[in-house]
Amino acid sequence: MTIDERQDQIIEDFALFDDWMDKYEYIIQLGKELPIIDEKYKTEENIIKGCQSKVWLHADYEGGKLIFTADSDAIITKGLVSMVVQVLSGQTPQDIVKANLYFMNEIGLQNHLSPTRSNGLLAMLKQIKLYALAYQTQTMNAS
Amino acid sequence: MPANLSLETSIQLDIQKIRADFPILQTQVYGKPLVYLDNAATTQKPKLVLDAIQDYYTQYNSNVHRGVHFLSQKATAAYEDARKKVTAFINAKHAHEVIFTRGTTDGINLVASSFGRKFLEKGDSIVISAIEHHSNIVPWQMICEERGASIKVIPVNEKGELVLDTLDELLDDKVKLVAVTYISNTLGTINPVKEIVARAHQQNIPVLVDAAQAAPHLPLDVQDLDVDFMAFSAHKMYGPTGFGALYGKEEWLNQIPPYQGGGDMIKSVSFKKTTYNELPLKFEAGTPSIAEGIAFGAAIDYINSIGLPNIQEAESQLYAYAVDALSTIEELRFIGEAHNRAASISFLVGDAHPFDIGEILDKQGIAVRTGHHCTEPIMQYFNIPGTVRASIAIYNTTEEIDKLVTGIKKAVTLLS
């Protein structure tokens, strides 16, 4: 699936829920299902700055694609992180760099997120794009 | 203030009538009535205070202490009237012992900077406590670093009470000042300030009290406490943000140099020599926040109209109610269980992150604080990332506490 197809899938999933309780329940569920980052990557340098709760993000480069794993000490944050990972993990650096992430707005979550949470999420997206950019540059230099 | 209404007199305040004074309490959040339990961060403002700001800007906006014209005189009178109200509120001996500041943090920085530059030398130390807010840690660290001095810390026990057995040991002849909070913003602990002051004074060491959390909840009497400096903020006392007061004993304020230069703090300036103004203006550089100062006076009028002893009694009943109600939640554990507590209740629920609890409460219209509350050292002591904190004010009700309990239970279900 492309990045946009995955975003549309999440938007569709969220359309099923009317009230915030259900949305949150779903996010919490996603948080619980998130493939956990390897303990050895839970380092100071893998912590995303700008999150009030802690988020660890790790990137692996396999067969031309970037694989992200992540974790958070707060479960709602973890759910949000999980969605971002679902959308962006397993994609090429090129696609990640040019990705336009609209699903957050579409599922109406942006309005519900506290500024500290949105900032944390933006910080995470920025970090992911930085990884992608680094690998894109690397592969371009190699070719 | 009514002459010492004893705490035994059970006065039933009409909380609904008080609530009607606060327009914001009628608002809804996510379609639910607002339950505001973040009062330790800032309190809501009664109409009296809002009107004072509006009246100043619409009727006599003008600079203070300079103009000879009608508006300026009116503004100066109102602004200085606020100083008199603060003076009476804390029972200071003189109005010129009340320095207007931008708030508690500003007041503490003033003392750290001015007192530190005058009295701190290499090898000296400042004693603070383990449960201080960052505002009563960082300014001291900054000046200590500058002067080659160091910080010593009064330890805390697992209940969140200061271990005062160690105090006399800490207070050696290198200690130049003790700075402690009256009420912990995180744990709600009420420190035995009078005792700390007495013991410090035995060694001729002055004491600064951070009264940011105490001023809206306890009657303050600087002469009875015998404190040397005391800082507090208007916005935690139903007044506006960006304004506060620093009390200092005249003898100390006369000994320490001005904090900032310019504006009201000078008597005369030539390029050779500047002579400083007298107290309190010596410490009040530049045009102050005039509307806020006047509104601070109105906030004190408001508190006085209810009476701090009455507020204290009503709030301590609500506090006890809240502790009991929260205790019914099996997964909940309190962080800070000092014998003597007020205003703030910190807790954790199961192994849920405080942020998650706070967010789910928010969706139910309940405003609490989550995080380390700018008291990171105490979080490190308890080895936790933060707490959920509910903090009360005079307009809070038992029904709101019930909603908090229901809200937490909902969060527990959702998160488990």
Side-chain angles (χ1 to χ4, degrees):
Chain A
M1 271 204 279
T2 66
I3 290 176
D4 285 358
E5 280 166 356
R6 289 187 184 179
Q7 294 197 78
D8 294 339
Q9 181 68 55
I10 291 178
I11 294 165
E12 214 174 286
D13 288 349
F14 265 86
L16 297 171
F17 309 122
D18 289 333
D19 77 351
W20 69 267
M21 269 280 274
D22 296 332
K23 286 185 186 180
Y24 271 81
E25 217 170 327
Y26 185 66
I27 295 170
I28 289 163
Q29 195 52 41
L30 287 176
K32 288 176 182 164
E33 287 165 7
L34 179 71
I36 301 286
I37 190 170
D38 198 317
E39 277 300 317
K40 71 178 176 206
Y41 296 127
K42 275 187 165 181
T43 59
E44 265 314 299
E45 58 198 39
N46 275 344
I47 289 186
I48 307 275
K49 302 222 164 47
C51 295
Q52 228 195 62
S53 48
K54 286 182 185 163
V55 172
W56 295 268
L57 178 74
H58 174 72
D60 273 319
Y61 189 58
E62 285 170 22
K65 296 193 171 153
L66 273 172
I67 311 295
F68 295 104
T69 50
D71 197 4
S72 171
D73 58 350
I75 192 73
I76 296 174
T77 309
K78 205 169 158 184
L80 298 171
V81 168
S82 167
M83 285 193 275
V84 175
V85 168
Q86 262 186 45
V87 170
L88 295 175
S89 186
Q91 305 287 347
T92 64
Q94 288 76 3
D95 285 345
I96 294 172
V97 168
K98 61 172 202 266
N100 165 31
L101 293 173
Y102 50 82
F103 77 98
M104 286 286 170
N105 271 332
E106 288 284 321
I107 59 180
L109 213 55
Q110 206 81 328
N111 302 334
H112 285 289
L113 287 182
S114 61
T116 37
R117 281 250 206 249
S118 332
N119 288 344
L121 215 55
L122 285 178
M124 189 173 77
L125 290 173
K126 200 171 140 196
Q127 188 59 42
I128 287 180
K129 290 230 175 191
L130 277 176
Y131 274 128
L133 206 58
Y135 279 103
Q136 190 186 32
T137 318
Q138 220 173 27
T139 45
M140 268 169 23
N141 287 346
S143 60
Chain B
M1 202 186 297
N4 252 345
L5 274 171
S6 86
L7 285 185
E8 290 84 52
T9 342
S10 189
I11 287 161
Q12 293 296 318
L13 292 179
D14 187 347
I15 303 294
Q16 289 311 323
K17 197 163 154 267
I18 289 171
R19 287 181 72 80
D21 295 331
F22 292 80
I24 206 170
L25 296 180
Q26 321 305 321
T27 50
Q28 297 211 327
V29 175
Y30 308 113
K32 300 196 168 59
L34 168 69
V35 175
Y36 186 78
L37 292 168
D38 192 18
N39 296 289
T42 198
T43 53
Q44 301 302 344
K45 320 304 171 198
K47 200 154 175 306
L48 188 71
V49 167
L50 302 172
D51 287 348
I53 295 171
Q54 170 95 351
D55 289 350
Y56 166 74
Y57 283 119
T58 52
Q59 292 168 28
Y60 59 103
N61 171 45
S62 180
N63 212 328
V64 289
H65 300 146
R66 294 181 190 86
V68 291
H69 57 81
F70 178 83
L71 290 191
S72 176
Q73 288 182 29
K74 188 169 176 188
T76 304
Y79 188 73
E80 287 307 317
D81 200 33
R83 198 188 307 273
K84 288 179 198 145
K85 289 172 185 173
V86 174
T87 307
F89 187 74
I90 59 171
N91 192 31
K93 223 185 266 176
H94 313 287
H96 59 252
E97 292 178 315
V98 172
I99 313 294
F100 279 153
T101 63
R102 290 190 293 122
T104 309
T105 306
D106 193 35
I108 296 172
N109 273 282
L110 189 163
V111 178
S113 172
S114 299
F115 184 95
R117 275 186 285 152
K118 175 85 179 187
F119 292 111
L120 269 189
E121 284 166 21
K122 200 169 186 315
D124 284 344
S125 51
I126 299 283
V127 167
I128 61 172
S129 91
I131 60 174
E132 297 307 317
H133 187 270
H134 293 170
S135 295
N136 202 23
I137 303 174
V138 183
W140 303 111
Q141 282 176 331
M142 287 165 69
I143 192 70
C144 281
E145 194 170 333
E146 197 181 310
R147 308 294 300 180
S150 63
I151 303 255
K152 292 202 287 191
V153 182
I154 307 169
V156 66
N157 65 22
E158 70 287 349
K159 282 184 158 177
E161 295 164 330
L162 296 187
V163 185
L164 287 185
D165 304 349
T166 60
L167 186 59
D168 292 334
E169 226 170 277
L170 286 174
L171 296 178
D172 59 32
D173 58 0
K174 288 291 184 187
V175 174
K176 289 294 147 73
L177 185 131
V178 175
V180 287
T181 188
Y182 203 147
I183 299 182
S184 155
N185 70 315
T186 305
L187 310 173
T189 310
I190 304 175
N191 285 325
V193 164
K194 199 171 171 177
E195 187 193 337
I196 294 170
V197 171
R199 285 163 73 172
H201 282 181
Q202 276 174 10
Q203 318 289 326
N204 295 316
I205 301 165
V207 177
L208 173 142
V209 168
D210 171 351
Q213 298 296 334
H217 304 291
L218 303 177
L220 293 174
D221 183 331
V222 290
Q223 293 189 65
D224 178 54
L225 293 172
D226 202 21
V227 290
D228 303 278
F229 299 100
M230 188 170 78
F232 46 102
S233 300
H235 75 101
K236 295 190 200 288
M237 305 167 64
Y238 312 106
T241 56
F243 207 85
L246 169 74
Y247 161 81
K249 276 185 187 161
E250 185 178 17
E251 48 178 297
W252 286 115
L253 293 176
N254 278 329
Q255 284 185 69
I256 63 177
Y259 176 42
Q260 292 169 328
D264 271 347
M265 55 74 72
I266 54 99
K267 194 171 260 173
S268 75
V269 175
S270 74
F271 285 115
K272 274 205 183 115
K273 169 99 184 139
T274 293
T275 46
Y276 304 128
N277 212 331
E278 286 159 12
L279 293 174
L281 298 181
K282 169 183 165 186
F283 291 103
E284 296 180 359
T287 295
S289 300
I290 302 165
E292 284 76 2
I294 295 166
F296 188 18
I300 287 176
D301 287 341
Y302 185 77
I303 291 175
N304 288 341
S305 74
I306 306 172
L308 252 178
N310 298 340
I311 292 175
Q312 190 182 16
E313 191 192 349
E315 286 184 352
S316 66
Q317 283 172 13
L318 188 64
Y319 193 93
Y321 181 89
V323 169
D324 279 353
L326 289 166
S327 302
T328 63
I329 303 171
E330 205 179 309
E331 299 85 351
L332 184 143
R333 67 185 162 107
F334 294 104
I335 304 296
E337 294 184 274
H339 178 64
N340 222 354
R341 280 198 288 166
S344 291
I345 305 176
S346 263
F347 55 87
L348 286 172
V349 187
D351 54 3
H353 196 282
F355 222 49
D356 289 326
I357 301 283
E359 187 156 355
I360 295 170
L361 287 175
D362 172 56
K363 292 296 169 292
Q364 302 173 73
I366 304 166
V368 293
R369 185 69 179 274
T370 60
H372 55 60
H373 319 297
C374 295
T375 55
E376 281 192 64
I378 196 68
M379 298 298 133
Q380 286 154 16
Y381 172 79
F382 285 111
N383 193 25
I384 50 177
T387 71
V388 183
R389 181 187 71 187
S391 53
I392 57 171
I394 189 58
Y395 40 67
N396 289 125
T397 63
T398 52
E399 291 76 26
E400 288 181 310
I401 300 298
D402 294 342
K403 283 184 184 171
L404 172 69
V405 170
T406 312
I408 295 168
K409 286 181 176 162
K410 200 165 188 174
V412 170
T413 318
L414 207 58
L415 291 168
S416 60

